[in-house]
Amino acid sequence: MTRRFWSSHHGSTKLCHCHYSGNFSRYLIAIAISVGLPDSVGGVLSGPVSNVATRWGLSDLHCKGMVPIDEDETHEGIKTIRIQKACEFTTSSVLCVCIITWNMNGKMSVEDVTKLVSSNRKFDLLVFGLQEVPKCDVAQVLQETMAETHILLCQKTMQSLQMFLFGAKSSEKYIRELKVDKHAVGGCGGIIGRKKGAVAMYINFSGIRMVFVSCHLADITVWLGDLNYRLQGISSIPARKLIEENRQSKLRGKDQLLQEAEKGEVFNGYCEGTLLFKPTYKYNIGSSNYDTSYKIRVPSCTDRILFKVDHTSGLDAVLNSYEALDCIRSSDHKPVRAHLCLKVHGDSA
């Protein structure tokens, strides 16, 4: 069942929004993306989950056995997995997705936006999850950057939270259904203007049903964004010294996200690539130097990409890269990029 959708052949079929009445595919992929979380994560999740689930009928999908819900009270924490450098994109992958998350800190740099995507674009879909996006046309810049190889399939904006889905030029003819949604959570009943929440997309891509949403468990779930977890139990100077000596792996034990996951509080059973890159926050804008303000903040890996696979779905996920883009300097955050390839059990070229 190997399919390649990224060839340079231009699809002639218009983007289809019609309802697909065919049988459910045995592959249901859910990707959690473009999350705007406050410093305390707790109060945000229930709203986006319940509202999106209600509108898209995800409870019905669960009843059909397509959306498994983990009722096991045991917890595994976040599993660190190795990165497989060689991508098997042209042989055994069903679908390859490039995933990028970046907190833009309200500033726009055309040069930095174009750097988000490398010249090697051998992937079917490209998902951008952007937080704190400035009031300018980021979509136009992304489209101009991707014009040679990919087209914009869908976008959704909720104030400064934006999500973009690009596909290879031949991909329009494979789209059978497309939906978008959003849910905002504001402080003090919405009186405070700065809202958090989630944006979501659903796409049926050649029978492969995918949900890009802030919080939803399905066959494959990928959560990315500025999750706002920090380092705990270490001060700024010792942390920076370890980073300068390229020993940032020693900071794993201080990572709040991993600590909470080990307790079974969040992201139970999710996987993450090995954190070989330096903490992505907080930098002096315009440089790759950590915060030199009077606060001298402790560097932290706030920007993450996690994924979880239900192996009974018949799919495997192979992580081919997990990296921070140090060359981008217009924000106090560094973008994080992952390349995830989906494979069918026992599928061959």
Side-chain angles (χ1 to χ4, degrees), residues 18-19 22 25 40 54 57 94 109 152-153 158 181 258 278 342 346:
C18 61
H19 176 68
S25 166
S40 176
T54 299
V94 175
S109 166
L152 181 62
L153 300 177
M158 187 192 71
D181 203 353
L258 298 181
K278 298 187 296 184
L342 309 179

Side-chain angles (χ1 to χ4, degrees), residues 119-130:
S119 57
N120 181 16
R121 300 177 186 175
K122 291 185 177 181
F123 42 77
D124 301 303
L125 298 177
L126 173 63
V127 184
F128 288 98
L130 304 177

Side-chain angles (χ1 to χ4, degrees), residues 40-53:
S40 176
V41 185
V44 173
L45 301 185
S46 60
V49 176
S50 59
N51 281 272
V52 173

